[in-house]
Amino acid sequence: SHSFSFPNPTNNNVADHLGLPPLNPWLDVFLDFDQGANYAIPGATALASLTPFALGKQVSWHLDLVAEVHNRSSPSHLTLPTRRTSEAQPQKRLPTVQSLHDALYVIQIGGLDYRTYYSDLDYPPEFVSDTIVPLVVEEIRTALEVLT
């Protein structure tokens, strides 16, 4: 029962409905992620030109988590003492390699891209449908390819 969520905080409602635990936000570095991670950022978009926390950045956070999980599962991984103490620091709880494969991944993004171009930037609907929609779809498709 692990899940990983990209951009909409309401995805925790979906997880709750499915009986999954709520997800800790990825940017809170003091929390554990053994049940999954929520990469959602209010105001996130698919297109990087609109926000620094676009879908591509959130996918890179997930890839960082995956790399950390794989590094910890390797036999050469050790918990090293910190500079201030000779005691090893407790490791943050992470999902297992298997749970990464079995997890529910939820990606809900793109609507804010359309609204921003149409309402906030005052582009005509034809521009949004002919230009922005294909760009957003391509960004989501690329993210899915990277994640699989």
Side-chain angles (χ1 to χ4, degrees), residues 6 59 62-63 66 100-101 105 107 140-148:
F6 299 83
V59 167
H62 180 69
L63 296 177
V66 170
L100 291 172
H101 294 288
Y105 292 84
I107 299 175
I140 293 169
R141 186 181 69 71
T142 299
L144 292 172
E145 287 176 357
V146 168
L147 291 169
T148 57

Short mmCIF file of all heavy atoms in Angstrom, two decimals, residues 6 59 62-63 66 100-101 105 107 140-148:
data_model
loop_
_atom_site.label_atom_id
_atom_site.label_comp_id
_atom_site.label_asym_id
_atom_site.label_seq_id
_atom_site.Cartn_x
_atom_site.Cartn_y
_atom_site.Cartn_z
N PHE A 6 1.86 13.22 -7.85
CA PHE A 6 2.37 14.41 -8.53
C PHE A 6 1.20 15.35 -8.69
O PHE A 6 0.10 14.94 -8.90
CB PHE A 6 2.94 14.06 -9.91
CG PHE A 6 4.09 13.10 -9.86
CD1 PHE A 6 3.86 11.74 -9.78
CD2 PHE A 6 5.38 13.56 -9.86
CE1 PHE A 6 4.92 10.86 -9.72
CE2 PHE A 6 6.44 12.69 -9.80
CZ PHE A 6 6.22 11.33 -9.74
N VAL A 59 9.28 15.16 -11.26
CA VAL A 59 9.74 13.84 -11.72
C VAL A 59 11.19 13.64 -11.28
O VAL A 59 11.57 12.55 -10.84
CB VAL A 59 9.59 13.70 -13.25
CG1 VAL A 59 10.34 12.49 -13.77
CG2 VAL A 59 8.10 13.62 -13.62
N HIS A 62 11.31 12.50 -7.78
CA HIS A 62 10.99 11.07 -7.66
C HIS A 62 12.19 10.22 -8.07
O HIS A 62 12.49 9.21 -7.40
CB HIS A 62 9.77 10.71 -8.50
CG HIS A 62 9.42 9.27 -8.40
ND1 HIS A 62 8.92 8.69 -7.25
CD2 HIS A 62 9.55 8.26 -9.28
CE1 HIS A 62 8.75 7.41 -7.44
NE2 HIS A 62 9.12 7.11 -8.67
N LEU A 63 12.86 10.60 -9.11
CA LEU A 63 14.04 9.84 -9.54
C LEU A 63 15.13 9.88 -8.47
O LEU A 63 15.85 8.89 -8.28
CB LEU A 63 14.55 10.36 -10.88
CG LEU A 63 13.58 10.19 -12.06
CD1 LEU A 63 14.15 10.81 -13.32
CD2 LEU A 63 13.20 8.74 -12.27
N VAL A 66 14.06 7.30 -5.94
CA VAL A 66 14.33 5.96 -6.46
C VAL A 66 15.81 5.63 -6.34
O VAL A 66 16.18 4.53 -5.91
CB VAL A 66 13.85 5.84 -7.93
CG1 VAL A 66 14.34 4.55 -8.58
CG2 VAL A 66 12.33 5.94 -8.00
N LEU A 100 8.26 0.33 -4.83
CA LEU A 100 8.31 1.26 -5.96
C LEU A 100 7.65 0.66 -7.19
O LEU A 100 7.01 1.36 -7.97
CB LEU A 100 9.75 1.66 -6.27
CG LEU A 100 10.46 2.53 -5.24
CD1 LEU A 100 11.93 2.67 -5.61
CD2 LEU A 100 9.80 3.88 -5.10
N HIS A 101 7.82 -0.64 -7.36
CA HIS A 101 7.22 -1.34 -8.51
C HIS A 101 5.73 -1.55 -8.33
O HIS A 101 4.98 -1.55 -9.30
CB HIS A 101 7.92 -2.67 -8.76
CG HIS A 101 9.34 -2.52 -9.17
ND1 HIS A 101 9.72 -2.06 -10.41
CD2 HIS A 101 10.49 -2.76 -8.50
CE1 HIS A 101 11.04 -2.02 -10.48
NE2 HIS A 101 11.53 -2.43 -9.34
N TYR A 105 0.72 5.32 -8.75
CA TYR A 105 1.24 6.64 -9.12
C TYR A 105 0.10 7.47 -9.66
O TYR A 105 -0.63 7.03 -10.55
CB TYR A 105 2.34 6.50 -10.18
CG TYR A 105 3.59 5.83 -9.66
CD1 TYR A 105 3.70 4.44 -9.62
CD2 TYR A 105 4.65 6.59 -9.20
CE1 TYR A 105 4.83 3.83 -9.12
CE2 TYR A 105 5.79 5.98 -8.72
CZ TYR A 105 5.87 4.61 -8.68
OH TYR A 105 7.01 4.01 -8.20
N ILE A 107 -0.85 11.22 -11.29
CA ILE A 107 -0.36 12.48 -11.85
C ILE A 107 -1.58 13.25 -12.33
O ILE A 107 -2.32 12.79 -13.18
CB ILE A 107 0.61 12.25 -13.02
CG1 ILE A 107 1.83 11.48 -12.56
CG2 ILE A 107 1.01 13.59 -13.65
CD1 ILE A 107 2.79 11.11 -13.66
N ILE A 140 3.59 15.81 -20.37
CA ILE A 140 3.09 14.70 -19.56
C ILE A 140 3.55 13.38 -20.14
O ILE A 140 3.98 12.48 -19.41
CB ILE A 140 1.55 14.78 -19.45
CG1 ILE A 140 1.14 16.02 -18.66
CG2 ILE A 140 0.99 13.50 -18.81
CD1 ILE A 140 -0.35 16.34 -18.71
N ARG A 141 3.49 13.24 -21.47
CA ARG A 141 3.96 12.00 -22.12
C ARG A 141 5.43 11.75 -21.83
O ARG A 141 5.85 10.65 -21.50
CB ARG A 141 3.73 12.07 -23.63
CG ARG A 141 4.05 10.76 -24.36
CD ARG A 141 3.83 10.86 -25.85
NE ARG A 141 4.76 11.72 -26.52
CZ ARG A 141 6.06 11.44 -26.71
NH1 ARG A 141 6.56 10.33 -26.27
NH2 ARG A 141 6.83 12.29 -27.34
N THR A 142 6.24 12.79 -21.89
CA THR A 142 7.67 12.66 -21.60
C THR A 142 7.88 12.24 -20.15
O THR A 142 8.71 11.37 -19.88
CB THR A 142 8.39 14.00 -21.87
OG1 THR A 142 8.21 14.33 -23.27
CG2 THR A 142 9.86 13.92 -21.55
N ALA A 143 7.14 12.84 -19.23
CA ALA A 143 7.26 12.46 -17.82
C ALA A 143 6.91 10.99 -17.62
O ALA A 143 7.61 10.28 -16.88
CB ALA A 143 6.36 13.34 -16.96
N LEU A 144 5.86 10.53 -18.26
CA LEU A 144 5.46 9.13 -18.14
C LEU A 144 6.53 8.20 -18.71
O LEU A 144 6.79 7.13 -18.15
CB LEU A 144 4.12 8.89 -18.81
CG LEU A 144 2.93 9.54 -18.12
CD1 LEU A 144 1.67 9.40 -18.98
CD2 LEU A 144 2.72 8.96 -16.74
N GLU A 145 7.15 8.59 -19.81
CA GLU A 145 8.22 7.77 -20.37
C GLU A 145 9.41 7.68 -19.43
O GLU A 145 10.00 6.63 -19.26
CB GLU A 145 8.67 8.33 -21.72
CG GLU A 145 7.66 8.10 -22.83
CD GLU A 145 8.07 8.76 -24.14
OE1 GLU A 145 9.10 9.46 -24.19
OE2 GLU A 145 7.33 8.56 -25.13
N VAL A 146 9.74 8.80 -18.80
CA VAL A 146 10.87 8.82 -17.85
C VAL A 146 10.56 7.95 -16.64
O VAL A 146 11.43 7.25 -16.12
CB VAL A 146 11.18 10.27 -17.43
CG1 VAL A 146 12.14 10.31 -16.25
CG2 VAL A 146 11.75 11.06 -18.60
N LEU A 147 9.32 7.98 -16.19
CA LEU A 147 8.92 7.24 -15.00
C LEU A 147 8.76 5.74 -15.22
O LEU A 147 8.75 4.98 -14.27
CB LEU A 147 7.62 7.82 -14.43
CG LEU A 147 7.75 9.20 -13.82
CD1 LEU A 147 6.38 9.79 -13.54
CD2 LEU A 147 8.60 9.18 -12.56
N THR A 148 8.61 5.33 -16.46
CA THR A 148 8.39 3.89 -16.71
C THR A 148 9.60 3.20 -17.27
O THR A 148 10.56 3.75 -17.63
CB THR A 148 7.20 3.68 -17.68
OG1 THR A 148 7.44 4.38 -18.90
CG2 THR A 148 5.92 4.15 -17.06
#
